[in-house]
Each structure stands twice: as C-alpha cells, then as structure tokens.
C-alpha cells in the first residue's frame, strides 16, 4: 500500500483555530472528517489515517508551532519511510487571492516560516507544496495581525466550498499524481 504524508501547517492553541495561518490544519481536518478518520496524539503532532483506493494518507498536524514544523515533517518521513515526492505540505499564501489553490513540486519558502523550517531540516526545496490563497487585504505593517487574524464572515462562508475543493486536490495528489493534480486544480 502506497503511503503519503499530508502535512497541514498551523499553530496549536485555541487562539489560532480560526486564523488564516491555520488553513493547513483546516484542510486536513476537512478531509479527515469527510473520511470519518479520527486524530491521535503522536510524537510532534496529531495524526489521522485515511485509506483511499489502496493508498494510505497520513494527515499530520504538527504541534511544534509553525516555525518548527520541519521537526515533525522530518521525523514522520523517516519513521514511515515516506520519500519527499509523497509528501504534500499545505500552507497559507498571501500572494494568492482568497481560496485560490496552487500546487507545485518544489519552490522557495516565499518567506513562510513553516516552509523555511521544513526546507532547513530536509536540506532541500524539492518536496510538493500546496498553497491556499488567503489574499493580502491588510494595511502596511499589519501582515502578522492579518495572517494571525480570524476569517471575515464572507470568507468563512466561502471556505466551506473551498475546503471541499482543497480536499479533492489532496485526494487527487495521492490517486492521480502531482502532475495531473496541478493541471486539474491550480488556479481553481
């Protein structure tokens, strides 16, 4: 059975639950809920296991806080013997309009501390990442407040459909491969 490590980036704690920065957690939570999977507390995070058509998806929410996400990713890749091409890291992206999806086989950290940590510990930028647009509707100097701020009511309403599409993209990654998923979901 082919294994995939699907990493939703976010911060633990009640104050972060509904923040834009926690969209990675939201995407894996949606998929786990959709598939009836429960999270277990594991080393360096929480994990749910989903089986879809002969594939095992390990849905990981690191509990290391965003800036140390690489510790959890590295640990679970090694423990489960999952190669980088079977890892998908889900994160927020200020440079994309709200709800826009962009999946890439590699890339820079784009200033994202979670991706910086993963890149530093893996020693490479060669791992698939899934960016979920949160837009950049903030005033100069307010980036941290915006990213760590709650969704607007309009965004909360739109998130329902966007999370469904994001969940389908994750399943496509495991079933149809990275290239087909990029073709089907990028910009959607």
């Amino acid at each position: 059975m082919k294994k995939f490590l699907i990493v939703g980036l976010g911060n633990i704690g009640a104050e972060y639950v509904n923040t834009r920065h926690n969209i990675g957690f939201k995407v894996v939570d949606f998929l786990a809920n959709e598939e009836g999977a429960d999270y277990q507390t594991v080393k360096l995070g929480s994990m749910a296991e989903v089986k879809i058509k002969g594939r095992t998806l390990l849905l990981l929410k690191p509990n290391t806080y965003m800036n140390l996400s690489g510790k959890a990713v590295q640990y679970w890749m090694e423990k489960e013997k999952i190669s980088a091409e079977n890892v998908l890291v889900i994160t927020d992206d200020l440079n994309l309009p709200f709800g826009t999806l962009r999946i890439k086989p590699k890339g820079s950290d784009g200033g994202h501390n979670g991706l910086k940590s993963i890149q530093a510990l893996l020693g490479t930028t060669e791992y698939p990442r899934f960016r979920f647009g949160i837009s950049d509707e903030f005033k100069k100097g307010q980036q941290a407040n915006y990213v760590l701020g709650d969704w607007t009511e309009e965004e909360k309403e739109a998130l329902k459909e966007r999370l469904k599409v994001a969940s389908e993209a994750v399943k496509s990654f495991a079933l149809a491969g990275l290239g087909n998923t990029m073709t089907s979901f990028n910009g959607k």
Side-chain angles (χ1 to χ4, degrees):
M1 183 167 283
K2 201 168 187 184
K3 274 190 203 173
F4 296 85
L5 181 62
I6 310 299
V7 184
L9 294 186
N11 284 314
I12 57 170
E15 69 271 30
Y16 298 112
V17 169
N18 290 310
T19 65
R20 293 176 181 90
H21 215 28
N22 271 34
I23 192 62
F25 280 10
K26 283 252 187 258
V27 172
V28 292
D29 284 349
F30 186 93
L31 177 55
N33 187 50
E34 197 175 52
E35 297 295 325
D38 293 320
Y39 282 93
Q40 308 299 317
T41 300
V42 295
K43 184 170 182 172
L44 300 173
S46 298
M47 188 177 288
E49 186 174 304
V50 171
K51 293 188 185 308
I52 303 172
K53 297 182 182 175
R55 308 286 200 276
T56 299
L57 282 66
L58 300 175
L59 309 179
L60 175 64
K61 297 192 303 186
N63 66 4
T64 54
Y65 288 98
M66 190 69 77
N67 297 357
L68 299 173
S69 299
K71 285 176 66 174
V73 174
Q74 181 185 42
Y75 175 82
W76 285 101
M77 282 176 71
E78 289 173 4
K79 180 167 178 33
E80 294 293 332
K81 298 175 178 53
I82 297 173
S83 61
E85 66 266 10
N86 287 349
V87 173
L88 185 63
V89 177
I90 306 167
T91 185
D92 57 301
D93 193 319
L94 285 165
N95 298 313
L96 295 173
F98 169 79
T100 302
L101 310 181
R102 181 172 299 148
I103 300 160
K104 297 172 81 173
K106 61 184 179 180
S108 74
D109 57 54
H112 193 285
N113 290 331
L115 295 178
K116 276 183 192 167
S117 172
I118 294 166
Q119 179 179 320
L121 281 164
L122 298 185
T124 184
T125 59
E126 306 263 335
Y127 60 89
R129 69 268 326 271
F130 176 154
R131 297 179 186 261
F132 188 106
I134 62 169
S135 81
D136 59 357
E137 303 288 319
F138 57 89
K139 292 181 174 68
K140 187 175 170 97
Q142 293 297 308
Q143 179 174 329
N145 291 338
Y146 178 78
V147 169
L148 295 173
D150 288 351
W151 301 101
T152 66
E153 289 307 314
E154 297 80 22
E155 288 170 334
K156 284 180 194 170
E157 191 56 39
L159 264 179
K160 295 171 188 167
E161 182 270 341
R162 295 282 75 208
L163 288 170
K164 175 76 174 152
V165 174
S167 173
E168 293 303 317
V170 171
K171 289 190 267 188
S172 173
F173 171 73
L175 296 171
L178 180 63
N180 289 329
T181 301
M182 288 167 56
T183 300
S184 298
F185 290 92
N186 276 354
K188 300 271 178 357

Short mmCIF file of all heavy atoms in Angstrom, two decimals, residues 4 6 31 52 55 57 88 103 130 165-185:
data_model
loop_
_atom_site.label_atom_id
_atom_site.label_comp_id
_atom_site.label_asym_id
_atom_site.label_seq_id
_atom_site.Cartn_x
_atom_site.Cartn_y
_atom_site.Cartn_z
N PHE A 4 1.40 8.22 1.86
CA PHE A 4 1.60 9.65 1.65
C PHE A 4 1.53 10.36 2.99
O PHE A 4 0.71 10.03 3.83
CB PHE A 4 0.53 10.22 0.72
CG PHE A 4 0.57 9.63 -0.66
CD1 PHE A 4 -0.08 8.43 -0.93
CD2 PHE A 4 1.27 10.25 -1.68
CE1 PHE A 4 -0.02 7.88 -2.20
CE2 PHE A 4 1.34 9.70 -2.94
CZ PHE A 4 0.69 8.51 -3.20
N ILE A 6 0.59 13.85 4.40
CA ILE A 6 -0.09 15.10 4.08
C ILE A 6 0.01 15.99 5.31
O ILE A 6 -0.57 15.67 6.36
CB ILE A 6 -1.57 14.85 3.72
CG1 ILE A 6 -1.72 13.74 2.67
CG2 ILE A 6 -2.23 16.16 3.27
CD1 ILE A 6 -1.04 13.99 1.34
N LEU A 31 -10.68 16.89 5.37
CA LEU A 31 -10.51 15.58 4.75
C LEU A 31 -10.71 14.46 5.76
O LEU A 31 -11.41 13.48 5.48
CB LEU A 31 -9.12 15.49 4.10
CG LEU A 31 -8.75 14.16 3.46
CD1 LEU A 31 -9.76 13.72 2.42
CD2 LEU A 31 -7.36 14.25 2.82
N ILE A 52 -7.64 5.37 0.93
CA ILE A 52 -8.44 5.63 -0.27
C ILE A 52 -7.87 4.82 -1.43
O ILE A 52 -6.72 5.03 -1.82
CB ILE A 52 -8.42 7.13 -0.65
CG1 ILE A 52 -8.91 8.00 0.50
CG2 ILE A 52 -9.27 7.39 -1.89
CD1 ILE A 52 -8.72 9.49 0.27
N ARG A 55 -4.39 3.48 -1.18
CA ARG A 55 -3.41 4.47 -0.72
C ARG A 55 -3.68 4.79 0.75
O ARG A 55 -4.83 4.85 1.17
CB ARG A 55 -3.54 5.79 -1.51
CG ARG A 55 -3.51 5.67 -3.02
CD ARG A 55 -2.11 5.39 -3.51
NE ARG A 55 -1.90 5.72 -4.90
CZ ARG A 55 -2.18 4.94 -5.92
NH1 ARG A 55 -2.76 3.78 -5.72
NH2 ARG A 55 -1.90 5.32 -7.15
N LEU A 57 -3.13 7.75 3.46
CA LEU A 57 -2.78 9.15 3.66
C LEU A 57 -2.66 9.40 5.15
O LEU A 57 -3.63 9.22 5.89
CB LEU A 57 -3.86 10.07 3.08
CG LEU A 57 -3.88 10.28 1.57
CD1 LEU A 57 -4.22 9.00 0.81
CD2 LEU A 57 -4.87 11.36 1.22
N LEU A 88 3.06 16.09 0.93
CA LEU A 88 2.38 17.30 0.47
C LEU A 88 2.20 18.22 1.67
O LEU A 88 1.55 17.84 2.65
CB LEU A 88 1.02 16.97 -0.15
CG LEU A 88 0.26 18.13 -0.79
CD1 LEU A 88 1.03 18.73 -1.96
CD2 LEU A 88 -1.13 17.69 -1.23
N ILE A 103 -0.52 24.21 -6.46
CA ILE A 103 0.26 23.05 -6.06
C ILE A 103 1.50 23.00 -6.95
O ILE A 103 1.39 23.15 -8.17
CB ILE A 103 -0.60 21.77 -6.21
CG1 ILE A 103 -1.84 21.90 -5.31
CG2 ILE A 103 0.21 20.52 -5.86
CD1 ILE A 103 -2.98 21.01 -5.67
N PHE A 130 1.39 22.74 -1.32
CA PHE A 130 0.03 23.11 -1.71
C PHE A 130 -0.25 24.43 -1.00
O PHE A 130 -0.37 24.49 0.21
CB PHE A 130 -0.89 22.00 -1.21
CG PHE A 130 -2.37 22.20 -1.40
CD1 PHE A 130 -3.20 21.11 -1.48
CD2 PHE A 130 -2.96 23.46 -1.47
CE1 PHE A 130 -4.57 21.24 -1.63
CE2 PHE A 130 -4.32 23.61 -1.62
CZ PHE A 130 -5.12 22.50 -1.70
N VAL A 165 -12.98 21.63 -2.25
CA VAL A 165 -12.11 21.58 -3.42
C VAL A 165 -10.68 21.22 -3.00
O VAL A 165 -10.02 20.38 -3.62
CB VAL A 165 -12.14 22.91 -4.21
CG1 VAL A 165 -11.12 22.91 -5.33
CG2 VAL A 165 -13.54 23.17 -4.76
N ALA A 166 -10.20 21.82 -1.91
CA ALA A 166 -8.86 21.53 -1.42
C ALA A 166 -8.72 20.06 -1.02
O ALA A 166 -7.71 19.41 -1.32
CB ALA A 166 -8.53 22.43 -0.22
N SER A 167 -9.74 19.50 -0.39
CA SER A 167 -9.76 18.10 -0.01
C SER A 167 -9.69 17.20 -1.24
O SER A 167 -8.96 16.20 -1.27
CB SER A 167 -11.02 17.81 0.81
OG SER A 167 -11.15 16.44 1.06
N GLU A 168 -10.43 17.55 -2.27
CA GLU A 168 -10.39 16.79 -3.53
C GLU A 168 -9.00 16.85 -4.16
O GLU A 168 -8.52 15.87 -4.72
CB GLU A 168 -11.44 17.32 -4.51
CG GLU A 168 -12.88 17.09 -4.08
CD GLU A 168 -13.22 15.63 -3.84
OE1 GLU A 168 -12.81 14.78 -4.66
OE2 GLU A 168 -13.87 15.33 -2.82
N ALA A 169 -8.34 17.99 -4.05
CA ALA A 169 -6.98 18.15 -4.59
C ALA A 169 -6.00 17.23 -3.85
O ALA A 169 -5.13 16.61 -4.47
CB ALA A 169 -6.53 19.60 -4.50
N VAL A 170 -6.14 17.13 -2.53
CA VAL A 170 -5.26 16.24 -1.75
C VAL A 170 -5.47 14.80 -2.18
O VAL A 170 -4.50 14.06 -2.40
CB VAL A 170 -5.50 16.41 -0.23
CG1 VAL A 170 -4.75 15.35 0.57
CG2 VAL A 170 -5.10 17.81 0.22
N LYS A 171 -6.72 14.39 -2.31
CA LYS A 171 -7.00 13.01 -2.75
C LYS A 171 -6.45 12.77 -4.15
O LYS A 171 -5.87 11.71 -4.42
CB LYS A 171 -8.51 12.73 -2.69
CG LYS A 171 -9.03 12.64 -1.27
CD LYS A 171 -10.44 12.13 -1.21
CE LYS A 171 -11.41 13.26 -1.22
NZ LYS A 171 -12.80 12.87 -0.97
N SER A 172 -6.58 13.75 -5.03
CA SER A 172 -6.06 13.64 -6.38
C SER A 172 -4.54 13.46 -6.37
O SER A 172 -3.99 12.67 -7.13
CB SER A 172 -6.44 14.88 -7.19
OG SER A 172 -5.80 14.86 -8.46
N PHE A 173 -3.86 14.17 -5.48
CA PHE A 173 -2.40 14.05 -5.35
C PHE A 173 -2.01 12.59 -5.10
O PHE A 173 -1.09 12.07 -5.71
CB PHE A 173 -1.91 14.95 -4.22
CG PHE A 173 -0.47 14.76 -3.84
CD1 PHE A 173 0.55 15.22 -4.68
CD2 PHE A 173 -0.13 14.13 -2.65
CE1 PHE A 173 1.88 15.04 -4.33
CE2 PHE A 173 1.21 13.96 -2.30
CZ PHE A 173 2.22 14.41 -3.14
N ALA A 174 -2.74 11.92 -4.20
CA ALA A 174 -2.43 10.53 -3.87
C ALA A 174 -2.88 9.55 -4.95
O ALA A 174 -2.22 8.55 -5.19
CB ALA A 174 -3.08 10.16 -2.53
N LEU A 175 -3.97 9.86 -5.62
CA LEU A 175 -4.54 8.91 -6.59
C LEU A 175 -4.09 9.15 -8.04
O LEU A 175 -3.84 8.20 -8.77
CB LEU A 175 -6.07 8.96 -6.53
CG LEU A 175 -6.70 8.52 -5.21
CD1 LEU A 175 -8.18 8.82 -5.19
CD2 LEU A 175 -6.44 7.04 -4.97
N ALA A 176 -4.00 10.41 -8.45
CA ALA A 176 -3.72 10.72 -9.85
C ALA A 176 -2.30 11.25 -10.07
O ALA A 176 -1.86 11.38 -11.21
CB ALA A 176 -4.73 11.74 -10.37
N GLY A 177 -1.60 11.58 -8.98
CA GLY A 177 -0.24 12.08 -9.09
C GLY A 177 -0.17 13.60 -9.12
O GLY A 177 -1.17 14.29 -9.34
N LEU A 178 1.02 14.09 -8.90
CA LEU A 178 1.26 15.53 -8.80
C LEU A 178 0.92 16.27 -10.09
O LEU A 178 0.20 17.27 -10.06
CB LEU A 178 2.72 15.78 -8.40
CG LEU A 178 3.13 17.24 -8.24
CD1 LEU A 178 2.35 17.91 -7.11
CD2 LEU A 178 4.62 17.33 -7.98
N GLY A 179 1.41 15.79 -11.22
CA GLY A 179 1.19 16.48 -12.50
C GLY A 179 -0.28 16.65 -12.83
O GLY A 179 -0.73 17.74 -13.19
N ASN A 180 -1.03 15.56 -12.73
CA ASN A 180 -2.46 15.62 -13.03
C ASN A 180 -3.20 16.52 -12.05
O ASN A 180 -4.13 17.24 -12.42
CB ASN A 180 -3.08 14.22 -12.98
CG ASN A 180 -2.65 13.36 -14.13
OD1 ASN A 180 -2.38 13.86 -15.23
ND2 ASN A 180 -2.55 12.06 -13.91
N THR A 181 -2.77 16.50 -10.78
CA THR A 181 -3.41 17.34 -9.77
C THR A 181 -3.15 18.81 -10.05
O THR A 181 -4.06 19.64 -9.96
CB THR A 181 -2.91 16.94 -8.36
OG1 THR A 181 -3.23 15.56 -8.16
CG2 THR A 181 -3.56 17.78 -7.29
N MET A 182 -1.92 19.14 -10.44
CA MET A 182 -1.60 20.52 -10.78
C MET A 182 -2.46 21.00 -11.95
O MET A 182 -3.02 22.09 -11.90
CB MET A 182 -0.11 20.64 -11.13
CG MET A 182 0.79 20.50 -9.93
SD MET A 182 2.55 20.25 -10.33
CE MET A 182 2.88 21.68 -11.34
N THR A 183 -2.59 20.15 -12.97
CA THR A 183 -3.41 20.50 -14.14
C THR A 183 -4.86 20.72 -13.76
O THR A 183 -5.50 21.66 -14.22
CB THR A 183 -3.31 19.39 -15.21
OG1 THR A 183 -1.93 19.26 -15.60
CG2 THR A 183 -4.16 19.71 -16.42
N SER A 184 -5.38 19.87 -12.90
CA SER A 184 -6.80 19.91 -12.53
C SER A 184 -7.15 21.00 -11.53
O SER A 184 -8.25 21.53 -11.57
CB SER A 184 -7.24 18.57 -11.95
OG SER A 184 -7.10 17.55 -12.89
N PHE A 185 -6.23 21.35 -10.63
CA PHE A 185 -6.61 22.21 -9.51
C PHE A 185 -5.91 23.55 -9.44
O PHE A 185 -6.39 24.44 -8.76
CB PHE A 185 -6.40 21.47 -8.18
CG PHE A 185 -7.38 20.34 -7.98
CD1 PHE A 185 -7.09 19.06 -8.36
CD2 PHE A 185 -8.63 20.59 -7.41
CE1 PHE A 185 -8.00 18.02 -8.20
CE2 PHE A 185 -9.55 19.56 -7.24
CZ PHE A 185 -9.24 18.28 -7.64
#
